[in-house]
Amino acid sequence: MQKTIIPSAVLATFLCTTNIYAEMNNTQMQDVQNITVSTTIESNETHLETPSNNTLIDTKISKAKAIIAAKTKMISDSEAKAIAEAESKAIAKAQAIESKAIAEAEAKRIQIIAEATKAKTIAEAEAIKAKKIAEIKAKAISERKITETKAKAAKAQAIAQAEATKIKAELIFEETMAKAKAQIEAILDKEKEFNQTETNVKVEAEDDYKIEDIGVLKNISNLLETRKIEFKKGYTSLTKEGTKTVTQLAKILQKYPKVSIEIAGYTDSDGSEELNQKLSQERVDTVKKTLMDKGISSERLMAKGYGETDPLVPNTSKKNKRKNRRIEIHIVEDV
């Protein structure tokens, strides 16, 4: 069998004739050339046994076509893969850009909503504040008007009360003056009656030869004009000065052993009538006991409290009340 070597020029000429080179890019051409070189080397090194040169060429061409087709398919797959990857990357990038844009838009939307909400909240707060201020002002005005109205009413009431009090005071004053006048007239009448009684006693004493009565009466009158039978304020016990006066009274009674007396006690109008009656009685009992302690027989002594009755002057002042708080000594025939 004859061995034939296929020159590379023959294969190149065939490929040019079939326009394979025209359909390939530079990279594909490089691959074809590499295949061609490889085939040439293989052809140079291998002795093919073929019946004829044409058959051998056809076989080589077919083999080359198959290799070229496989390589072309591989290149097409690579390009498709590259395109797919590029498209995938582009899509991913576009999606990333879109996602970023959406995220930024959403963030912006949220920010706008937040700012709008904040502005709304501030506006509502300002509105509430303004409303409260208006309510406070209105309430203050209302309260001020109410206060002014109450003040006017209170002033009018005070004026009316003052007028009523003035009228009442005038009436009380007139009534008091009338009572005082009546009491003064009564006192004057009593004094006149007393003077008449004293005169009658003197006359009677002279007629009945009761010289002792006249003497003791003068002595007691002189004593009580210079001294007073005083008690501690609010108590029934005698003061030091009061004790001295009662002691002097006992000495006078000792000089006139046949004379009997009434110890009469009076108070002012302060307090209740019952209390004043009790106080006056307890005080005259104290005077009686003191006289008894000084040697005066109880048979010669009569003690009677008259309370706030029979005042010497109206109980309208401290001075007058002091005059009405007194002990009187009356000469009596029988105790």
Side-chain angles (χ1 to χ4, degrees):
M1 183 178 292
Q2 186 179 359
K3 296 180 180 180
T4 304
I5 299 172
I6 300 172
S8 61
V10 175
L11 182 58
T13 301
F14 177 78
L15 290 174
C16 288
T17 304
T18 56
N19 295 323
I20 292 175
Y21 283 135
E23 296 177 359
M24 296 181 181
N25 55 27
N26 294 331
T27 304
Q28 291 171 336
M29 282 297 296
Q30 184 65 39
D31 291 337
V32 171
Q33 289 176 0
N34 291 336
I35 294 170
T36 303
V37 172
S38 176
T39 304
T40 303
I41 294 170
E42 183 181 354
S43 298
N44 289 331
E45 293 177 353
T46 306
H47 296 280
L48 298 176
E49 293 181 0
T50 177
S52 64
N53 290 335
N54 291 334
T55 302
L56 183 60
I57 290 170
D58 290 338
T59 301
K60 292 291 184 178
I61 290 172
S62 297
K63 186 177 180 181
K65 283 182 178 181
I67 293 171
I68 290 169
K71 290 291 184 179
T72 301
K73 186 176 183 302
M74 290 176 62
I75 292 169
S76 297
D77 291 342
S78 297
E79 285 183 349
K81 185 177 180 181
I83 291 170
E85 289 178 355
E87 288 178 353
S88 178
K89 288 181 179 179
I91 291 169
K93 185 176 181 181
Q95 288 177 345
I97 293 171
E98 183 181 5
S99 298
K100 183 179 180 182
I102 291 171
E104 290 177 352
E106 182 65 17
K108 188 68 176 177
R109 186 181 70 83
I110 293 171
Q111 182 181 358
I112 292 171
I113 291 172
E115 290 176 353
T117 303
K118 183 179 179 181
K120 182 181 178 182
T121 303
I122 293 171
E124 289 176 350
E126 290 294 331
I128 293 171
K129 182 179 179 181
K131 184 179 179 181
K132 286 185 177 180
I133 292 172
E135 289 176 352
I136 291 170
K137 287 183 178 179
K139 185 178 180 181
I141 293 170
S142 177
E143 289 178 351
R144 185 181 65 186
K145 288 182 179 179
I146 292 171
T147 302
E148 289 176 353
T149 303
K150 287 183 178 180
K152 289 179 180 179
K155 184 178 179 181
Q157 185 178 2
I159 292 172
Q161 288 179 349
E163 289 294 331
T165 303
K166 182 180 178 182
I167 294 171
K168 185 177 180 181
E170 290 175 353
L171 292 174
I172 292 172
F173 177 76
E174 291 176 358
E175 184 179 353
T176 303
M177 290 300 295
K179 287 182 178 180
K181 184 177 180 181
Q183 288 176 350
I184 291 171
E185 290 177 354
I187 291 169
L188 292 175
D189 291 340
K190 284 185 178 181
E191 186 176 354
K192 183 177 180 181
E193 182 181 354
F194 175 78
N195 292 334
Q196 290 176 352
T197 303
E198 186 179 14
T199 303
N200 292 333
V201 170
K202 288 180 180 179
V203 173
E204 185 180 356
E206 289 177 355
D207 292 342
D208 296 340
Y209 302 103
K210 292 184 178 180
I211 305 301
E212 287 186 355
D213 292 350
I214 298 172
V216 74
L217 183 61
K218 287 183 178 180
N219 283 301
I220 292 173
S221 297
N222 292 334
L223 173 65
L224 296 181
E225 283 179 1
T226 57
R227 292 175 178 267
K228 290 185 178 181
I229 301 176
E230 295 178 340
F231 296 86
K232 293 179 181 180
K233 187 176 181 180
Y235 294 91
T236 59
S237 56
L238 291 163
T239 62
K240 188 176 181 180
E241 186 66 24
T243 302
K244 289 181 180 180
T245 303
V246 174
T247 301
Q248 292 296 322
L249 177 60
K251 290 180 180 180
I252 294 172
L253 293 175
Q254 286 172 356
K255 291 181 181 180
Y256 302 95
K258 294 182 180 181
V259 175
S260 298
I261 63 170
E262 177 194 20
I263 308 164
Y266 300 90
T267 66
D268 58 26
S269 60
D270 290 347
S272 65
E273 292 183 6
E274 182 180 357
L275 180 62
N276 288 332
Q277 177 63 41
K278 181 181 178 182
L279 181 63
S280 64
Q281 185 61 50
E282 289 178 352
R283 283 180 172 177
V284 295
D285 288 341
T286 299
V287 174
K288 179 180 178 179
K289 184 177 182 304
T290 304
L291 289 172
M292 291 171 61
D293 291 341
K294 301 298 181 181
I296 306 302
S297 173
S298 61
E299 296 178 354
R300 300 173 57 193
L301 304 173
M302 181 175 69
K304 184 169 179 59
Y306 293 92
E308 61 186 64
T309 62
D310 198 16
L312 295 177
V313 291
N315 288 291
T316 55
S317 65
K318 290 183 178 180
K319 184 178 180 181
N320 287 359
K321 289 179 181 180
R322 194 179 301 114
K323 289 181 180 180
N324 291 329
R325 295 192 298 269
R326 67 194 188 279
I327 295 292
E328 292 182 355
I329 304 298
H330 303 149
I331 296 175
V332 295
E333 291 185 3
D334 297 320
V335 176

